[in-house]
Amino acid sequence: MRTPVIAGNWKMFKTVQETAIFVKELRSLVKGIEDVEIVVAPPFTAIHAAAEAARNTNVGIAAQDVSYEREGAFTGEVSAGMIKEAGAEYAIVGHSERRRLFHETDAIVCRKARAVIGAGLTAIVCVGETLEERERQQTLAVLDRQIKDGLDGFSPEEVAALVIAYEPVWAIGTGRTATAAQAGEAHAHIRTRLRQWFGADAAERCRILYGGSVKPDNIRELIAEPDVDGALVGGASLDVAGFTDIVTRARPAAV
């Protein structure tokens, strides 16, 4: 059985001090929860403070992005080795905002995921269609392209160890959420493709998260879908009580 993952992506919110306070409160609220993998992704500046606050607890820390380069003259970039040294255990790559606002291609996402894995971190690779693509009934074709090109050259063992986050772009920060059936269909399709391209073992072990206006009142229905293994939570992860509620409702015994 795959362990659910609930990851909070804070985007460009919270200072170092606010982060430390949040993580200290979170760790006390989720103490003893071992059947859900709990992850928080603060801004780069707060990764070290978050990692220190989460030390020796069941809360993991992620970076929201990473450079595909190890080092060099790349002003403003942060490498996988740097975020690992700061205390991160995970890194998100290919988030729809990175793709849309910063024009990241599937090839760039692939290089970033490769860098994350090369540094010994867990990659959370985001995929998903825009509203226009869904209305044109291109959802599955878009997912095929993003998975094939975004994981190009990956071994079955590498795919088994990473996390994929399906985020329908039209449901991010809009208050609109894919229905459980829509999420289930997309997740099942992703797992089918993983099975075809990387083998049954990789497909069964890889966790696939849903991301898109996840809240306490919809997480249970979403995660009840057999191929939904948790959530990449945006705005709702900024409130420690609400985020804890999502974690609690995602526990296998609660579904």
Side-chain angles (χ1 to χ4, degrees):
M1 183 175 179
R2 295 179 294 270
T3 301
V5 179
I6 299 296
N9 176 21
W10 291 358
K11 308 188 181 184
M12 200 168 69
F13 292 99
K14 295 195 185 294
T15 63
V16 171
Q17 183 179 18
E18 290 168 341
T19 296
I21 292 170
F22 182 105
V23 175
K24 287 175 182 177
E25 186 174 356
L26 176 65
R27 74 187 187 192
S28 66
L29 291 171
V30 300
K31 185 177 181 180
I33 295 179
E34 299 179 354
D35 51 0
V36 177
E37 202 167 309
I38 305 164
V39 182
V40 171
F44 283 131
T45 52
I47 287 176
H48 182 66
E52 287 297 304
R55 186 183 297 275
N56 298 322
T57 72
N58 57 338
V59 178
I61 305 303
Q64 298 176 19
D65 188 31
V66 67
S67 172
Y68 52 69
E69 297 287 357
R70 188 173 65 86
E71 61 182 9
F74 305 104
T75 301
E77 292 291 275
V78 179
S79 73
M82 291 171 180
I83 64 170
K84 182 177 182 179
E85 182 184 35
E89 303 166 70
Y90 308 76
I92 300 169
V93 298
H95 190 279
S96 62
E97 291 163 358
R98 299 297 313 177
R99 293 175 185 265
R100 185 177 76 255
L101 301 176
F102 302 98
H103 312 294
E104 293 187 3
T105 63
D106 294 322
I108 289 174
V109 173
C110 184
R111 292 182 69 183
K112 288 189 172 189
R114 173 65 62 200
V116 171
I117 293 172
L121 303 169
T122 298
I124 301 175
V125 182
C126 300
V127 297
E129 81 284 7
T130 64
L131 178 60
E132 181 182 17
E133 289 165 339
R134 172 163 281 275
E135 289 178 340
R136 291 181 178 177
Q137 299 185 351
Q138 296 174 334
T139 296
L140 302 186
V142 169
L143 293 177
D144 285 352
R145 186 199 76 232
Q146 291 175 337
I147 295 167
K148 181 176 280 292
D149 295 347
L151 302 180
D152 184 40
F154 278 59
S155 70
E157 293 75 19
E158 289 170 332
V159 171
L162 58 76
V163 175
I164 292 176
Y166 167 63
E167 41 167 31
V169 181
W170 47 271
I172 298 173
T174 63
R176 299 176 60 179
T177 309
T179 64
Q182 287 173 322
E185 178 188 29
H187 283 238
H189 180 80
I190 292 169
R191 202 172 305 280
T192 295
R193 288 298 190 234
L194 294 180
R195 187 175 295 110
Q196 291 174 337
W197 296 335
F198 300 100
D201 182 63
E204 289 306 311
R205 289 166 55 195
C206 179
R207 270 87 58 85
I208 307 174
L209 314 184
Y210 172 78
S213 297
V214 175
K215 298 178 177 62
D217 61 4
N218 62 26
I219 182 60
R220 192 169 291 173
E221 182 182 14
L222 288 164
I223 206 169
E225 291 290 323
D227 290 301
V228 178
D229 303 314
L232 181 60
V233 187
S237 71
L238 296 171
D239 173 70
V240 69
F243 186 61
T244 300
D245 198 5
I246 292 172
V247 169
T248 303
R249 291 172 185 241
R251 301 183 71 178
V255 176

